[in-house]
Amino acid sequence: MNFSGSGANWFLILSLILGSAALAFLGDVLGFRYGKQRISIFGLRPKYTSRLITAITGGVITVIVLGVLSAFSQDVRTALFSMNYIQQQLLDLRLQLNQSQEIADQAQEALAEQQARMQVTTASLDLARLDLDSLRNDRLLLEQEKSDLAASVQGLRDESEQLKQALHTMRSGSIALSANVLLAQGAFEPGTSEEEARKGLEDLKQRARVAAQVRMSELLPSTPRSVSVTFDPEEEASLLKRIEDAPDRLYVRAISRENVAFGEEVGVRFEVGRSLLLYSDGDVIYRRVYNAQAQDFDAEEALHSFLRDLKVSAIHEGVLPDPATNNVGTLRGEEFFDAVETLRSIHTPVIINGLASGDIHTEGPVNLRLSFQE
């Protein structure tokens, strides 16, 4: 503890010193005077009376000093008159200090625990942040994978559509154009020149291209306008040689080589042979008697049966059928139904005649007209 004289009440101190000195001097004078006069107080001898006065003077000095100090200092008054209270307060303060110290220690321990928990929480928060970052990265990866899968799915859908189209094409390939379908045919007279043979063959090839296009368009309207039709150059050259200066009439047929799917090129082969006159215009190709008056007679069924038998007869006579359909010709629909109506109006036995409508050669077709004889 450091003391400094700058704040001391030197006037009070000097006053106390001087006052105490004056009282001591006064007591000594009184004691000396009473001793010299042989004055006795309380029956004491003069010598003791002088000492008593000196002692009383010292006590008065002390009382005056204490009174003056008490008058001028709150601390002195508290020290003199409230010492027990101060000691009790000090004891209470010590107890409170101890309690505060304990509380501070507990608070320190709690703070340490809180700090430890905070460290654990901070570590957990860091882990949670890492997990969050990982989840964000996983989400980005999943979104990327989702985008990739969506693109893959779209690609698979496109591929599926292409496969469906290809499957449809494969399934309908035999319908588009079958093998051995007669696309076009023509005849070359004896003594045909090279130029005429080339021109006739080109015309035959063009008609084959048109026929292939028409057949495909009937099945699939979206078929491109230009269908690729190919011919074997070596076969074509050999055919031209045979046609030039041939002694007989020849027929040439353009026939599809194999089944063709939509979008594929059409391969065409040539078939050549002697063309003989089998029926002249008006010749009877086939005839048959029907009992039109019978109750179970069906005019339409009878006419279908007649045309089937006529085809067999024409093939037997040498007419070449279509290699794909085995037909030798067609009868227009209106002619067929007119013939049915005519046949229904007859109620007696009738002969149906199938007559050649124009000259019919080996290659056909069989152009037909019907006549009825009752």
Side-chain angles (χ1 to χ4, degrees), residues 40 71 183 257:
S40 178
L183 298 175
R257 290 183 179 275

Side-chain angles (χ1 to χ4, degrees), residues 22 66 71 89 95 101 133 136 151 164 177 179 184 190-191 225 232 243 246 266 284 298 310 319 340 342 358:
L66 293 176
Q89 280 189 334
L95 291 175
Q101 187 64 36
D133 293 337
R136 286 175 179 171
K164 287 181 180 178
L177 191 62
R225 292 185 176 181
D232 186 351
I243 293 173
V266 180
V284 176
D298 187 333
L310 184 144
V319 176
V340 169
T342 301

